[in-house]
Amino acid sequence: MKVRRTTTAAAAALALSLATVTVASGGAQAVGAGSGSAGSGAETITIGIKFDQPGIGLKTPDGKYTGFDVDVATYVAKELGFEPGDIKWKEAKSADRETLLERGDVDFIAASYSINDEREKKVDFAGPYLLAHQDVLLRADDDSITKPEDLNNKKLCSVTGSTSAQNVKDDIAPQAQLQEYGGYSECLTGLENEIVDALTTDDSILAGYAAQDEFKGKFKLGGFKLSNENYGIGVKEGSDLKGKINTALEKMVSDGSWDQYVEKNFGPANYENEPAPKIGNVVE
């Protein structure tokens, strides 16, 4: 059998052809992000956040992005090698988060994303990076609600489809009068105008709303700690980003950036936050 030899010129042409194919396919992945492209030579990174939660993740009318999750995600992206201008922000609504990760539409999600057993069947989590609790928001001058049981016979507001208010009625205050509105802003308006007596969801979300300029001094947190909500950063199942993000989160805590982000986003609401959680330690 004769062995076919490749000439030097032919070899060079073949190498150039392969290089062209490699660059083309790599470039397509870079601009599209997702599927764990971050850290594999990508030029951009796509991150899922909330667009409608002040203090957590908010897209402002002028197109900017603010909030604790935005600050955390920006820090993590920088540790992964991406500058703020390299980040593509994508809205991650609660019901869409697992799908966005599974399809590879985003590289990771930081969107008040509580770690739980059901979600861990579908995606992996780095963190937690914040321990929040279900709580209630009250009018600053209301002294009639000082403990969870005082919610009996009170009008308790939450958004349509949320389980927070129902949890209170089922487990804590069976006589609470549930009021469901389309959004938290409507609940806040109702609370301010004394149409409802309390608003319930995660304390971090409540603090974010209360910290807004138009609401400063009008509301207070009950501090009831009705549940533990471990916020994690979601990644596609099996992604090697989990370990890299955990390393970035540990650095963020140790260098003081975590404390700065908490004060910046929640401080105006006098949010009594838990200390930074130990990365990898989910509080039951």
Side-chain angles (χ1 to χ4, degrees):
M1 180 178 69
K2 293 183 179 180
V3 178
R4 183 179 178 183
R5 293 184 180 180
T6 304
T7 65
T8 303
L14 178 61
L16 179 60
S17 175
L18 290 173
T20 302
V21 172
T22 301
V23 170
S25 62
Q29 183 184 44
V31 296
S35 300
S37 64
S40 61
E43 297 174 358
T44 62
I45 185 169
T46 303
I47 303 173
I49 58 169
K50 290 294 180 66
F51 278 13
D52 59 352
Q53 290 183 345
I56 298 289
L58 180 70
K59 183 178 181 179
T60 62
D62 59 359
K64 295 180 180 179
Y65 300 91
T66 65
F68 183 74
D69 283 350
V70 175
D71 289 336
V72 170
T74 302
Y75 186 103
V76 168
K78 188 172 182 62
E79 291 300 304
L80 294 175
F82 298 91
E83 296 300 322
D86 301 328
I87 299 173
K88 294 185 176 182
W89 300 106
K90 189 175 184 67
E91 185 173 19
K93 296 180 179 179
S94 295
D96 299 335
R97 290 177 295 201
E98 285 83 37
T99 301
L100 289 171
L101 289 169
E102 290 169 348
R103 287 194 316 217
D105 293 341
V106 295
D107 289 292
F108 67 80
I109 289 178
S112 54
Y113 203 1
S114 297
I115 302 170
N116 62 39
D117 293 340
E118 191 62 30
R119 290 171 180 162
E120 287 188 305
K121 295 176 182 177
K122 301 177 181 178
V123 301
D124 288 342
F125 284 98
Y129 62 91
L130 182 72
L131 177 59
H133 307 281
Q134 185 182 340
D135 199 0
V136 296
L137 193 68
L138 309 167
R139 286 185 294 277
D141 60 356
D142 185 355
D143 296 324
S144 67
I145 302 174
T146 60
K147 58 185 182 297
E149 293 76 13
D150 292 338
L151 293 168
N152 279 307
N153 301 311
K154 298 290 188 178
K155 294 179 180 177
L156 180 64
C157 189
S158 193
V159 298
T160 303
S162 169
T163 60
S164 298
Q166 190 63 48
N167 289 341
V168 171
K169 185 172 178 64
D170 290 345
D171 302 328
I172 297 168
Q175 270 91 53
Q177 301 172 33
L178 301 189
Q179 307 286 317
E180 289 189 326
Y181 288 178
Y184 290 117
S185 59
E186 296 172 58
C187 281
L188 281 167
T189 300
L191 184 59
E192 183 178 11
N193 295 326
E194 300 187 21
I195 298 171
V196 298
D197 302 302
L199 161 61
T200 185
T201 188
D202 294 356
D203 54 6
S204 58
I205 297 173
L206 296 174
Y209 277 104
Q212 299 303 289
D213 288 339
E214 63 266 37
F215 297 132
K216 285 180 181 176
K218 295 183 178 181
F219 304 116
K220 63 183 178 182
L221 289 164
F224 296 159
K225 298 184 178 181
L226 302 174
S227 69
N228 292 327
E229 305 296 336
N230 296 268
Y231 286 5
I233 292 182
V235 298
K236 190 172 184 178
E237 190 173 27
S239 171
D240 62 357
L241 281 180
K242 177 179 177 179
K244 296 175 182 178
I245 292 174
N246 276 335
T247 299
L249 293 174
E250 289 170 350
K251 182 178 178 181
M252 180 184 69
V253 172
S254 66
D255 69 13
S257 296
W258 187 90
D259 293 304
Q260 294 175 19
Y261 300 155
V262 169
E263 178 59 30
K264 169 187 172 184
N265 293 289
F266 304 132
N270 297 316
Y271 175 47
E272 296 182 5
N273 62 281
E274 298 280 1
K278 182 179 179 181
I279 306 304
N281 182 31
V282 175
V283 179
E284 300 295 337

